[in-house]
Amino acid sequence: MLDHIPPERPGRGRLAHAPKQHPPVPARRTGILLANLGTPDGTDYWSMRRYLAEFLSDRRVIEWPAWIWQPILQGIVLTRRPFSSGAAYRGIWNTERDESPLLTITRRQTAALAARMAARHGDRVMVEFCMRYGNPSTGSVIRRMQAAGCDRILFFPLYPQYAAATTATANDQAFRALMTLRWQPALRTVPAYHDHPAYVAALAASVERAYAGLETRPTALVASYHGLPQSYFAKGDPYHCHCQKTSRLLAGRLGWDRAAIHTTFQSRFGPEEWLQPYTVDYVAKLAREGHERIAVMAPGFASDCVETLEEINGEIREAFEHAGGRDFHYIPCLNDDAAHLDMIEAIVRSEAQGWLDEAPAEAAAPETAPA
């Protein structure tokens, strides 16, 4: 929860035209809710187990029948994986705040967007963030926003490229939250923004900034996206196409030949065939082909996290160096960079048209007929 947003706003109370028994009603607000993947509460075994159990029990993530998957998950995966995942998180953990970098960065993104909204709309717009898995949960934040007067919420999954296992499951969770409310706010969802000009421009600026700081220019730029089972793509998931389009548009924005950006996929899980080429194998191939210096970026992640800070800068870097590569440069995610915030704000203003421009109303409660 953002520290600068009080649980009750000035003006909250009983309406002048309402009967004495009418409960207090907050003034109307529009809500902006940024949604990210999630994070464990800690790196210990039980924190990791709770997080992984929620994540890997999502039928959008693992589409196997529950009668097949759940015995494997409960009996094998959740007895072993919390140890290795906990070790990976400990290597990147924000010890000062005792939280994951993804949580730290998402909070900063939210605070920056809230400041921008407040400068133009005062306290009529409430900006919050939630996580699909872990805390703060989607349901708890939507309920809090509704209680604070948000009768309209723009739900913004921070996934540039659409996938059922990311964008769709985030939206699912938001609508599940609405099912628990007596008085539901109106809800809009932000679509994929893999080809949004401001997103592509922000990516290009991050590459140009990174390259400007290097003494020797890399001979290859690898755009590593999170992987997805090949079977999901075969069923009609557009994720692979969105990733390819992002890379193509990025090359065009940079003024490069399309072949100058190598699109790969990371973070495989399980025995299925996933989208290829696999990043860890591909960077080793580049090294063997004579590319001594490469740069790697992760356009599909809105915030640096364990997949970027530990997997790319750890396992994938090691694969490149072990194959003979010398200079591996990781380009950070957009995080809370000003260009990224410009993009998020531009999308919010576009998708919330008619909501942000309305004059403030006295309260969210309807007129109550006299007794």
Side-chain angles (χ1 to χ4, degrees):
M1 182 173 64
L2 295 178
D3 296 335
H4 69 276
I5 297 178
E8 296 195 2
R9 304 175 56 232
R12 181 186 179 97
R14 189 173 289 109
L15 302 179
H17 56 269
K20 291 182 180 180
Q21 68 272 22
H22 198 290
V25 177
R28 291 180 61 183
R29 307 170 85 178
T30 294
I32 310 298
L33 181 53
L34 304 181
N36 214 327
L37 177 73
T39 172
D41 294 324
T43 62
D44 60 282
Y45 174 84
W46 289 109
S47 294
M48 291 304 312
R49 185 183 174 103
R50 284 193 300 273
Y51 174 71
L52 291 171
E54 182 182 12
F55 175 42
L56 297 176
S57 292
D58 187 346
R59 293 297 298 275
R60 291 279 199 182
V61 174
I62 306 293
E63 295 187 358
W64 293 3
W67 66 270
I68 295 177
W69 173 239
Q70 280 299 321
I72 297 173
L73 176 64
Q74 301 296 332
I76 300 175
V77 177
L78 293 180
T79 60
R80 301 175 181 176
R81 195 171 179 88
F83 292 108
S84 59
S85 295
Y89 271 96
R90 280 192 290 277
I92 63 164
W93 201 250
N94 181 345
T95 54
E96 182 180 347
R97 297 193 65 113
D98 191 23
E99 64 187 24
S100 73
L102 182 141
L103 180 55
T104 302
I105 295 166
T106 306
R107 181 185 291 107
R108 291 205 304 256
Q109 292 168 334
T110 305
L113 180 62
R116 291 175 177 226
M117 292 292 107
R120 296 187 63 171
H121 305 285
D123 61 0
R124 291 193 293 116
V125 176
M126 180 179 185
V127 183
E128 279 282 6
F129 73 90
C130 66
M131 299 294 175
R132 171 60 184 89
Y133 314 104
N135 295 304
S137 69
T138 303
S140 67
V141 178
I142 286 180
R143 288 190 294 271
R144 175 155 42 80
M145 294 178 79
Q146 191 270 350
C150 294
D151 64 345
R152 293 163 295 184
I153 295 176
L154 179 67
F155 186 72
F156 195 145
L158 291 171
Y159 304 112
Q161 297 78 24
Y162 177 95
T166 54
T167 309
T169 190
N171 291 340
D172 289 346
Q173 199 72 347
F175 285 108
R176 287 191 193 101
L178 294 190
M179 292 171 65
T180 68
L181 297 176
R182 177 175 296 277
W183 189 352
Q184 294 178 332
L187 188 73
R188 292 180 184 173
T189 61
V190 170
Y193 52 95
H194 62 287
D195 56 357
H196 194 286
Y199 164 66
V200 177
L203 290 176
S206 73
V207 173
E208 291 168 342
R209 184 166 55 248
Y211 275 37
L214 299 176
E215 291 185 5
T216 305
R217 183 184 178 91
T219 57
L221 172 62
V222 177
S224 180
Y225 298 85
H226 199 288
L228 193 75
Q230 183 70 33
S231 61
Y232 296 11
F233 171 62
K235 292 175 183 177
D237 201 299
Y239 179 73
H240 180 267
C241 302
H242 285 188
C243 295
Q244 294 290 346
K245 187 173 185 180
T246 294
S247 294
R248 175 172 59 80
L249 293 175
L250 175 58
R253 176 76 187 200
L254 290 167
W256 297 0
D257 182 86
R258 172 64 183 88
I261 297 181
H262 305 257
T263 299
T264 64
F265 301 90
Q266 64 180 88
S267 308
R268 282 181 289 168
F269 176 79
E272 283 192 74
E273 180 180 340
W274 282 44
L275 296 178
Q276 296 186 37
Y278 302 136
T279 305
V280 67
D281 298 332
Y282 195 83
V283 297
K285 175 175 174 287
L286 288 175
R288 290 192 295 270
E289 291 175 349
H291 291 273
E292 294 185 343
R293 298 177 179 85
I294 67 170
V296 180
M297 65 187 306
F301 296 88
S303 310
D304 273 307
C305 54
V306 69
E307 286 87 355
T308 64
L309 299 175
E310 196 280 333
E311 185 179 0
I312 291 180
N313 249 344
E315 177 188 359
I316 292 170
R317 174 190 290 272
E318 289 171 5
F320 175 71
E321 294 174 347
H322 182 73
R326 292 174 49 194
D327 188 358
F328 181 100
H329 183 76
Y330 171 61
I331 301 174
C333 294
L334 296 178
N335 295 326
D336 57 344
D337 182 78
H340 194 201
L341 268 297
D342 290 343
M343 180 216 77
I344 292 174
E345 183 180 6
I347 293 176
V348 165
R349 296 201 177 282
S350 174
E351 298 299 326
Q353 287 187 58
W355 285 3
L356 296 179
D357 300 332
E358 286 188 3
E362 182 182 87
E367 293 284 346
T368 303

